[in-house]
Amino acid sequence: MAELPDDTISEAERLTHLARDREGEEAEQYRAERTQLLETHGFVARIREEDTRTVLVLHPEEWVEGGTIRVERIEDTDRAVEIPLTGAGDPDDWDEIDEHNRAVAARVREEYGDVHGANAEAFADFMGNHYARPVESATSDEVDEFLTEYFPRNAWPTSEQKKTVKESVELVFECVSRTAR
């Protein structure tokens, strides 16, 4: 369980986004404010750049020596908090992304029926909630993750939905492709 209060985590994320959106002195001011906020809890922040996303990592200051995380000092990784800042999508854009994804799912339902529509809604939930990205930006690995992990466990699909889910996802891409033309 993370030691940081939820409001501290939220504020650290907000300050990080503000710093990333600004330059120079203003960006430094937001980073300094975040540092001060986290210091009161004995935590520090770092940004981890991954291949597909950027993550804000908040972790105990005691894990660091000379600017480097000392793995031997980490007894419980659950003490750290990881917040995706980007990735395929920016969580700050979630409302717009959710609205877009729901509109695509509604088009699938309207054009292909309730079963495909329900599957498209599950896919919209997955892409919005897990990746904060539009449905059409899903990679093949993400589609596989949806089909094999998320859908069977979280969508509570009917037998008809299970039979048609792959086709439903294809219809999502088809609807978006037709709209983009």
Side-chain angles (χ1 to χ4, degrees):
M1 180 94 178
E3 304 170 19
L4 286 173
D6 289 342
D7 60 335
T8 301
I9 294 168
S10 295
E11 182 63 4
E13 180 181 6
R14 185 184 77 81
L15 292 168
T16 301
H17 281 295
L18 289 170
R20 290 170 60 84
D21 291 342
R22 307 301 193 288
E23 293 181 13
E25 229 176 269
E26 192 177 6
E28 279 305 315
Q29 181 181 355
Y30 287 122
R31 283 192 281 274
E33 192 175 334
R34 180 189 65 201
T35 297
Q36 186 177 18
L37 171 72
L38 294 173
E39 280 178 350
T40 63
H41 298 281
F43 272 65
V44 295
R46 72 182 179 90
I47 303 294
R48 184 177 68 226
E49 299 287 342
E50 298 176 349
D51 289 342
T52 58
R53 66 183 187 159
T54 302
V55 179
L56 170 64
V57 182
L58 309 175
H59 60 81
E61 188 173 20
E62 66 200 45
W63 293 1
V64 180
E65 180 181 304
T68 302
I69 292 182
R70 307 298 301 184
V71 179
E72 68 275 7
R73 293 183 175 186
I74 302 172
E75 293 178 20
D76 181 7
T77 57
D78 287 343
R79 293 179 67 198
V81 177
E82 293 191 1
I83 305 161
L85 297 173
T86 65
D90 187 337
D92 286 343
D93 299 332
W94 187 86
D95 287 337
E96 293 169 0
I97 291 165
D98 186 59
E99 182 177 310
H100 166 79
N101 289 350
R102 298 230 171 268
V104 172
R107 281 196 305 272
V108 170
R109 181 180 296 277
E110 183 179 330
E111 292 182 33
Y112 301 101
D114 289 339
V115 173
H116 287 302
N119 289 343
E121 287 171 6
F123 189 55
D125 287 342
F126 170 76
M127 285 304 295
N129 293 333
H130 289 265
Y131 291 101
R133 288 199 340 253
V135 288
E136 66 270 20
S137 71
T139 65
S140 59
D141 286 344
E142 290 161 354
V143 170
D144 287 343
E145 179 184 359
F146 169 75
L147 295 171
T148 60
E149 295 176 33
Y150 182 89
F151 186 76
R153 294 181 186 145
N154 299 295
W156 299 90
T158 65
S159 59
E160 189 66 13
Q161 283 178 272
K162 289 176 188 176
K163 289 180 207 170
T164 61
V165 67
K166 287 181 184 176
E167 181 183 357
S168 299
V169 173
E170 290 172 12
L171 294 173
V172 165
F173 287 106
E174 187 177 303
C175 278
V176 173
S177 177
R178 276 197 322 266
T179 305
R181 287 183 220 153

